[in-house]
Amino acid sequence: MKDRFFHRVRRLFLFVCCAALTLLNGHARAQEEKLIETSAKAAVLIEKNTGRVLYRRNEETALPMASTTKVMTALLALEEGSLDDVVTVSRNAFGVPGTSIYLSEGEKLTLRDLLYGLMLASGNDAAVAIAEHIGGSVDAFCRRMTERAAELGCQNTVFLSPNGLPTPGHHTTAYDLALIAREAMDHPEFREIVSTRRASIPWEGRTYSRILNNKNRLLTDYDGATGIKTGYTKAAGRCLVFGAKRDGLELIGVVLNCPDWFQEAERILDMGFAEYEAFTAFAAGESVRVLPVKDGVRETVSIVTGRELSAPVRKGRVPTLEYTLPEELPAGFELGDEIGEVRLMLDGNTLASSPLIVAEGIPERDYRYEVERFIELWPLGGERQPAALGQ
């Protein structure tokens, strides 16, 4: 019976949360996002933790994205491959035009080394080698790239190459690319690679290594920069996916077809850090309430947050908290059961939310428990009776 109760509660919360987020998202974007003037054909700035859009311009316009394509190539490689995999370079990966790390046919490198070549030196040949290793073929890998983008919520993204060389129909939007970068930055290995300024990887058949220099100038010029990827073709123009973190606030931005890409990225980041700050209401696992328990072996249970409750807030604004919680719980729940939600609210918009979970399991009272409690509380019960007779 209790299992059915919690199952119904979980389903109800899931339905309500999905419906609320769908409705509030559009309202929040209309109220909170700022339409900016920019030299980029399309641009967006989001907050990493929540994905909330802070600034935008033509963010849903489909455009070619050059080598920023490789953010998805790296993400899929990390999700579906192993960094220690040994990759054999095929004839297809040898001599790919454009930027290259000069792979030789038959050369063997680890997937880790290829990812450094992909993201620092923007090796188009490395992209093909990775695609064939993970997907079996470039075409199969690109189909999976597009599928994975859709899973992340990208509604106008099609990948037809793993490296971004000009291909009709190969496109994304600034917003979709920000979503992909946000997911990629959840991987510590990706963060490490894209924040590296200079690295070396083996060069088979030579006595020296390949030296890779990161093309992202923000890593040296901008305080708190975290990466991520540059891109350029004549058709796409200068494209940049960029990120930075200061005082607990992490931002991810995209500019597509932007002549002054690095300067514009710095300007947009400066706006974000000047106008927003990270507001943290609760840490993950922090106690927020104590609820009574009905028919349990204990009378109360602590309710804690399932994850950190934090969101970007315009400086000078103070959000409020809203809770969805029952007044009491029936016993029989287990550690970690979700029983509610807490939301960080501002002007009627949900900025962030966290599930509320029980901090410990509390079983129902049963016959054995009642007998043991009776014996424990009985004045002449247990070991105290012989002591009383001895007096």
Side-chain angles (χ1 to χ4, degrees), residues 67-383:
S67 283
T68 58
T69 294
K70 292 163 184 165
V71 177
M72 176 55 87
T73 302
L75 171 61
L76 205 55
L78 288 168
E79 290 180 338
E80 301 189 4
S82 171
L83 290 175
D84 294 325
D85 284 352
V86 176
V87 180
T88 302
V89 177
S90 72
R91 179 180 293 274
N92 290 332
F94 167 68
V96 177
T99 54
S100 172
I101 59 171
Y102 305 103
L103 295 173
S104 300
E105 183 180 351
E107 184 177 0
K108 291 180 171 56
L109 285 155
T110 65
L111 182 59
R112 176 185 284 103
D113 290 335
L114 284 172
L115 284 171
Y116 274 95
L118 179 80
M119 300 305 288
L120 271 66
S122 201
N124 292 330
D125 49 357
V128 172
I130 290 169
E132 291 184 330
H133 175 73
I134 299 295
S137 71
V138 169
D139 287 344
F141 184 79
C142 290
R143 286 194 295 272
R144 180 62 188 132
M145 291 171 74
T146 303
E147 291 171 358
R148 184 68 180 108
E151 292 168 5
L152 296 175
C154 301
Q155 298 182 2
N156 200 359
T157 294
V158 177
F159 290 104
L160 297 176
S161 87
N163 46 36
L165 286 172
T167 305
H170 181 87
H171 64 261
T172 189
T173 69
Y175 179 65
D176 284 1
L177 199 48
L179 291 181
I180 295 167
R182 180 188 178 213
E183 182 72 15
M185 290 296 275
D186 279 341
H187 293 261
E189 301 89 351
F190 183 88
R191 279 184 175 273
E192 180 181 350
I193 291 169
V194 299
S195 64
T196 299
R197 299 180 186 180
R198 183 181 173 90
S200 63
I201 61 173
W203 200 332
E204 193 173 279
R206 308 202 183 193
T207 58
Y208 49 89
S209 298
R210 292 178 171 92
I211 303 300
L212 310 173
N213 293 304
N214 200 317
K215 298 183 177 183
N216 188 347
R217 294 206 319 253
L218 295 181
L219 288 173
T220 55
D221 296 349
Y222 195 81
D223 181 33
T226 54
I228 302 175
K229 187 70 187 77
T230 61
Y232 173 79
T233 63
K234 185 176 181 179
R238 292 175 173 175
C239 302
L240 181 64
V241 183
F242 53 93
K245 185 175 183 179
R246 293 180 186 173
D247 300 322
L249 181 65
E250 183 169 3
L251 305 178
I252 293 174
V254 177
V255 289
L256 298 178
N257 200 335
C258 183
D260 53 345
W261 49 350
F262 292 114
Q263 295 91 332
E264 190 64 356
E266 290 186 15
R267 186 182 74 86
I268 293 172
L269 285 170
D270 284 344
M271 289 171 53
F273 289 122
E275 295 187 24
Y276 286 88
E277 61 186 347
F279 186 97
T280 301
F282 293 110
E286 185 173 350
S287 179
V288 299
R289 293 282 178 86
V290 174
L291 290 184
V293 178
K294 183 179 180 181
D295 298 328
V297 298
R298 281 181 292 283
E299 295 182 349
T300 62
V301 65
S302 179
I303 307 302
V304 301
T305 51
R307 59 174 172 264
E308 180 182 82
L309 185 62
S310 177
V313 177
R314 287 191 183 275
K315 291 181 179 179
R317 304 296 305 278
V318 179
T320 59
L321 294 172
E322 286 188 2
Y323 297 86
T324 301
L325 273 175
E327 293 184 359
E328 69 172 2
L329 292 175
F333 50 82
E334 298 180 355
L335 170 68
D337 277 345
E338 292 185 20
I339 53 88
E341 184 185 60
V342 57
R343 297 173 293 279
L344 196 61
M345 306 292 296
L346 187 64
D347 297 333
N349 299 316
T350 300
L351 303 182
S353 65
S354 170
L356 294 175
I357 62 177
V358 291
E360 60 178 330
I362 298 183
E364 290 182 273
R365 296 177 183 176
D366 56 15
Y367 177 76
R368 178 178 178 180
Y369 171 81
E370 297 293 354
V371 170
E372 290 177 348
R373 285 286 289 165
F374 178 80
I375 294 173
E376 179 183 348
L377 297 175
W378 183 250
L380 298 180
E383 298 180 354

